[in-house]
Amino acid sequence: MPIGTSIVESLSERELQVLRVLAAGRQNGEIGDELSVALDTVKKHITHILEKLGARPHRRNGAPVSWVCFRKLPAIPPRRSTFG
């Protein structure tokens, strides 16, 4: 089941980048390295993503729930440009 368009549209471009890497199963530190951002920045983006999805960040079996849940997401479609 694809992610709802309205949810994707509510995310910033950077949040979408973080979500794509997160969905690929990367840990927070790996996300930071891949996107060249600080670990704290990655954590803030994930918190914002979860808030926009109506979820609360917590841990399950020692792993951040964001990683556990998002690694099973289908491909996130690219945002359509409004420019011709």
Side-chain angles (χ1 to χ4, degrees), residues 35-55:
L35 299 179
S36 300
V37 296
L39 180 59
D40 284 343
T41 302
V42 172
K43 290 177 182 179
K44 287 179 185 177
H45 284 309
I46 292 172
T47 298
H48 293 154
I49 292 166
L50 290 171
E51 287 171 354
K52 289 178 180 182
L53 296 176

Side-chain angles (χ1 to χ4, degrees), residues 7-39:
I7 292 172
V8 171
E9 289 174 354
S10 74
L11 300 175
S12 71
E13 197 60 42
R14 183 55 107 180
E15 290 167 345
L16 281 172
Q17 291 172 342
V18 169
L19 184 56
R20 284 185 185 103
V21 179
L22 188 63
R26 306 292 195 296
Q27 298 286 341
N28 292 357
E30 296 170 316
I31 295 168
D33 292 343
E34 188 165 329
L35 299 179
S36 300
V37 296
L39 180 59

